[in-house]
């Protein structure tokens, strides 16, 4: 059931409308999956989205980068936004599917291909009923989520200045397909990045006494970093310190004189993040000195804050979801330590970010996001389309309450 402005009311069967275009939007997802592009390099992706919007008859703005921002509706009443991210990851795909990535070393291993296809599907349905819709719907195809630059770009360009509420979603490989989660409060963590440079003294592998081994120092630093969360953070708090990249040395018979350690910090509290920042510096400096080396630390604070769902926006999303999903399929999922720059929008606009299950063990789809074998049950694409539409129709019913977007 949907909200359409017409005397007596018109009912929209969202599931039926989605089914009518299901093969098309599943095909779109496969296209995006086959041709993934990295953050701020989504040129072909952006072009394809514009072609689809042209075909549907939806107007859009030419972006300053690779973003695509479109709109549906006459602008009377509320303005709400629907967001999908566009970028892929630096991963060599290992799924073996027929539509595997043709761009070597690049893969849609996080489901952004499904998000784009789903939002285009929602756009097709909403455009069909445009004449009867109250309000305006902004479609945000956002680049560069993986390095947290895209939401900042969208906000700084003023695309969302008049938006009353915003909705986003994400498919997850560790949630069963058919299940969704729409919950208020903290949902995903703030994300910071650190880079440690270790400087030792290079030399011959057979004469270690003449050297200061940067590899050994780095190993000690990595191990010592593990004690920060386990021994310095309150057990009832949540935090993660992960080292994701180490580079040291160039060949087998030379002791490395320099090493790079890169990692990420995830947390929900600003105070926790600050404590961890100081601890990383302390551990890096003191460990390096203990081994006769030196260390410098670069720390990028708050690439984005935590995703915190607005309670009223959650009510809106749930009201829409309950009209198309069974109660047992709307589940509670613990908050995640994964990062999402959708939170940048939520700093100034009431917003809700939903989780969509995409795993199906029966058909071998059970790998987590960012894995080289990550894939999704295609039903998740259709479910996401339904969620976008259901939220939009519910959100347009609400009273107009303008929010000033602060860049």
């Amino acid at each position: 059931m949907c909200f359409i402005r017409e005397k007596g009311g018109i009912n929209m069967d969202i599931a039926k409308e989605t089914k009518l275009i299901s093969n098309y939007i599943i095909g779109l997802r496969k296209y995006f999956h086959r041709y993934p592009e990295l953050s701020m390099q989504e040129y072909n992706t952006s072009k394809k989205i514009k072609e689809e919007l042209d075909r549907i008859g939806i107007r859009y703005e030419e972006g300053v980068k690779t973003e695509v921002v479109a709109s549906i509706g006459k602008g009377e009443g509320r303005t709400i936004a629907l967001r999908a991210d566009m970028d892929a990851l630096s991963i060599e795909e290992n799924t073996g599917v027929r539509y595997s990535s043709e761009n070597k070393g690049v893969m849609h291993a996080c489901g952004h291909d499904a998000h784009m296809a789903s939002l285009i599907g929602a756009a097709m349905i909403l455009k069909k009923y445009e004449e009867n819709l109250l309000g305006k719907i902004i479609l945000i195809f956002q680049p560069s989520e993986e390095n947290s630059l895209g939401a900042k770009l969208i906000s700084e360009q003023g695309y969302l200045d008049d938006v009353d509420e915003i909705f986003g979603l994400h498919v997850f490989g560790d949630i069963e397909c058919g299940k969704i989660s729409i919950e208020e409060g903290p949902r995903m963590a703030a994300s910071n990045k650190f880079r440690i440079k270790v400087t030792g003294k290079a030399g011959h592998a057979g004469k270690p006494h003449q050297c200061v081994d940067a590899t050994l120092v780095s190993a000690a630093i990595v191990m010592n970093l593990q004690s920060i969360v386990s021994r310095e953070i309150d057990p009832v708090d949540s935090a993660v310190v992960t080292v994701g990249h180490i580079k040291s040395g160039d060949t087998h018979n030379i002791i490395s004189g320099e090493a790079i350690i890169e990692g990420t910090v995830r947390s929900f509290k600003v105070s926790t993040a600050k404590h961890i920042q100081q601890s990383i510096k302390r551990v890096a400096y003191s460990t390096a000195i203990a081994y006769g080396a030196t260390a410098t630390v670069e720390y990028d604070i708050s690439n984005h804050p935590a995703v915190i769902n607005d309670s009223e926006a959650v009510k809106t999303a749930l009201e829409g979801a309950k009209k198309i999903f069974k109660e047992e399929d709307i589940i509670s999922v613990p908050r995640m330590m994964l990062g999402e720059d959708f939170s940048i929008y939520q700093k100034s606009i009431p917003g809700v970010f939903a989780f969509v299950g995409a795993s199906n063990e029966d058909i071998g789809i059970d790998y987590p996001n960012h894995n080289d074998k990550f894939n999704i049950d295609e039903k998740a694409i259709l479910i996401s389309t339904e969620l976008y539409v259901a939220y939009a129709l519910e959100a347009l019913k609400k009273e107009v309450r303008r929010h000033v977007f602060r860049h």
Side-chain angles (χ1 to χ4, degrees), residues 107-248:
M107 176 189 175
H108 269 300
C110 202
H112 297 185
D113 49 349
H115 304 163
M116 291 182 285
S118 298
L119 185 53
I120 291 173
M124 294 171 71
I125 296 171
L126 293 167
K127 179 63 179 180
K128 183 177 178 180
Y129 291 88
E130 183 175 32
E131 289 302 313
N132 304 105
L133 291 172
L134 286 174
K136 185 177 182 180
I137 302 167
I138 306 296
L139 308 173
I140 304 291
F141 293 91
Q142 179 203 304
S144 196
E145 184 278 327
E146 295 294 352
N147 62 7
S148 306
L149 297 177
K152 186 172 183 287
L153 168 71
I154 295 295
S155 62
E156 288 180 345
Q157 291 302 312
Y159 291 118
L160 303 181
D161 282 356
D162 296 321
V163 169
D164 295 291
E165 202 166 285
I166 188 167
F167 176 83
L169 54 78
H170 207 299
V171 297
F172 285 107
D174 51 3
I175 301 175
E176 179 186 353
C177 185
K179 307 297 183 182
I180 61 172
S181 170
I182 305 172
E183 302 174 67
E184 65 178 85
R187 302 303 294 140
M188 300 181 77
S191 174
N192 301 324
K193 178 182 177 182
F194 63 87
R195 184 177 189 269
I196 303 171
K197 181 179 178 180
V198 176
T199 302
K201 181 180 179 183
H204 197 287
K207 294 185 176 182
H209 60 290
Q210 296 178 348
C211 310
V212 177
D213 191 344
T215 301
L216 180 63
V217 178
S218 297
I221 290 174
V222 171
M223 292 302 296
N224 288 338
L225 290 175
Q226 307 312 305
S227 67
I228 294 175
V229 172
S230 67
R231 289 297 176 266
E232 297 183 31
I233 304 302
D234 189 328
V236 299
D237 195 0
S238 299
V240 168
V241 176
T242 294
V243 172
H245 178 230
I246 303 174
K247 184 182 185 304
S248 183

Side-chain angles (χ1 to χ4, degrees), residues 358-400:
S359 73
N360 187 336
E361 293 183 4
D362 293 338
I363 57 176
I365 295 176
D366 55 359
Y367 289 93
N369 298 50
H370 289 216
N371 186 282
D372 62 356
K373 292 186 178 181
F374 173 80
N375 201 358
I376 64 170
D377 186 326
E378 292 175 341
K379 292 178 183 176
I381 305 168
L382 310 183
I383 289 170
S384 298
T385 292
E386 293 170 352
L387 272 176
Y388 277 128
V389 175
Y391 166 80
L393 298 175
E394 286 296 325
L396 291 180
K397 293 181 182 180
K398 296 170 66 175
E399 180 184 351
V400 176

